[in-house]
Amino acid sequence: MTVTTDTAVVAPADVPQRARRLATALPGPRSRELEAERRRHVTEGFGVTLPVFIDRAEGSLLVDVDGNRIIDFASGIAVTSVGAANPRVAERAAAQLSRFTHTCFMVTEYSSFTEVCAWLNEHTPGSFEKRTALFSTGAEAVENAIKIARSATRRPNVLVFDEAYHGRTQLTMAMTAKENPYSLNFGPLPGSVFRGPTAPAHLVPSGDSGAFVAQALAGVESVLAEAGAETFAAMVIEPIQGEGGFIVPAASFLSGLREIATQHGIVLVIDEIQAGMGRTGALFASEHEGIAGDITLSAKALGAGLPLSAVTGRAELMNAVHTGGLGGTYAGNPVACEAALAVFELLEDGSLLAGAQRIEAAVRERFEPLLAPGAHDGAGPASGQASPAGIMGVSAESPASTGTARAGVVSVRGRGAMMAIEFADASGPRADVAKAAAAAANAAGVLTLTCGTHGNVIRLLPPLGIEAEVLEEGLEVLEAAIRGALS
């Protein structure tokens, strides 16, 4: 398709409703009633993107209590990758509910826990012998990975990276780069956490990726040396940084970290909580980089909406913890384990991975033509293209290179069904544009999220099996919303 920036702006509401069905404005009257009740009973500490109350899911659509059918480009923040009402997940979970709901694996055992661990041991990157521990949430997996690394190395320090997100517990807040809203007013936070630089693919200077990556890796070595590399237990990084802005690393950056970790005896922890389980078109995003962590973390899509997380790593690391040192009342709940086994079945034939790749192609085809003059596509190493570095020099999010004050699309990046569209002008990030475009798409029945350290990125996380016609309609609405926000 050919899109030019001077095309007449079509309002999102004018895009024909095919899969969507808006019976009311969003939120509708019943959702507004329930929202008023929510405010009477639920802490205001929870934010909400779109205040509609969901009644059920149908394929890649969410149906609210007012009968509105909404295209889901969020997947519960990369959780319902197989769909929010997948029949096989429901079947296995319901069967387990009828047998028993809980025993606590540390009290009496059940085979589904072991089966999930066995699958992860086989399929996570790395040809070494592995062991797995199951927990409930992503942050819990991160914290336990640090416990394991410290136990195995007898070292205290942890290295994390610019733009990182790892959770909302005290330790994971310290590991997360963005303060507001995650750690604002929640200090003091735990110490022994150090932060290193990254090498975002979309900021690589044209034809100079080697020097760009070498500079970032030298920065990492500098942070380690300042505190003493021998004091670091773990180095933790997302293979695509999620909340930080869907930042794909430049080619050879992660492999460089792998070498540094090995050299200094540091446990490399790959946080695949958002990017894993097929989201990027591979089972695990680190496969794109050809590396394996000593420990790999899984959650979110692992349980298809039921709380389940996993720490999978080298057997000698995982077994270094004393008996009784790992666990949790709900760790590896049997209903969640059955949901995970259903997810594994659904991933077997590769169709969901192919679906993620088709989503990337559709997103790029529609939105790369909207890139501002002088901007590049912000692709990762898979496409071999990247945008100029140092235009603004304040973060891994890219500013416009147009030399004008007009806001525009400055990056379309990501992998598979984990795609991002970034907005900026010559003065810096434009969170207002991302917010306005997302709000317009949401009002038109396409559930859309923002992210990024500066809030100027729209992120797309549709279910991997989204129907082609539903995806196309949702992207058409989002394009109209973006054009409107930029006009």
Side-chain angles (χ1 to χ4, degrees), residues 113-305:
F113 189 112
T114 304
E115 292 170 32
V116 172
C117 292
W119 190 95
L120 290 168
N121 291 342
E122 179 181 353
H123 290 89
T124 52
S127 58
F128 42 82
E129 185 180 0
K130 305 184 189 85
R131 295 291 186 274
T132 292
L134 301 183
F135 302 99
S136 300
T137 69
E140 195 178 1
V142 174
E143 293 236 8
N144 276 281
I146 301 305
K147 287 167 57 178
I148 292 164
R150 284 174 169 169
S151 179
T153 64
R154 298 297 194 266
R155 300 174 178 181
N157 290 338
V158 177
L159 180 68
V160 293
F161 292 86
D162 293 339
E163 319 301 337
Y165 177 84
H166 296 293
R168 292 177 179 263
T169 59
Q170 285 294 108
L171 177 58
T172 57
M173 283 191 298
M175 296 170 67
T176 293
K178 189 174 182 178
E179 179 183 9
N180 188 7
Y182 300 115
S183 59
L184 183 67
N185 301 324
F186 295 147
L189 301 177
S192 301
V193 176
F194 297 78
R195 195 168 306 281
T198 61
H202 65 282
L203 295 183
V204 173
S206 180
D208 195 22
S209 64
F212 183 76
V213 170
Q215 182 180 16
L217 293 174
V220 171
E221 288 275 24
S222 178
V223 174
L224 294 175
E226 185 173 352
E230 72 282 357
T231 68
F232 283 85
M235 177 187 296
V236 187
I237 191 164
E238 304 153 87
I240 296 179
Q241 293 179 301
E243 175 61 26
F246 282 25
I247 298 168
V248 179
S252 79
F253 178 68
L254 290 190
S255 60
L257 293 182
R258 171 70 277 176
E259 292 176 8
I260 291 171
T262 300
Q263 176 186 350
H264 296 296
I266 300 170
V267 177
L268 178 61
V269 180
I270 303 295
D271 181 345
E272 294 263 11
I273 288 168
Q274 184 166 176
M277 303 311 298
R279 173 55 55 182
T280 66
L283 279 179
F284 294 93
S286 51
E287 294 177 40
H288 295 289
E289 310 297 333
I291 67 156
D294 300 304
I295 290 175
T296 297
L297 307 181
S298 305
K300 286 188 179 286
L302 176 63

Side-chain angles (χ1 to χ4, degrees), residues 380-407:
S383 73
Q385 299 183 22
S387 59
I391 302 169
M392 181 172 65
V394 297
S395 79
E397 293 165 77
S398 52
S401 56
T402 62
T404 73
R406 184 173 180 179

Side-chain angles (χ1 to χ4, degrees), residues 295-319:
I295 290 175
T296 297
L297 307 181
S298 305
K300 286 188 179 286
L302 176 63
L306 280 73
L308 185 67
S309 62
V311 180
T312 302
R314 294 180 180 272
E316 62 271 24
L317 293 175
M318 300 297 293
N319 290 337

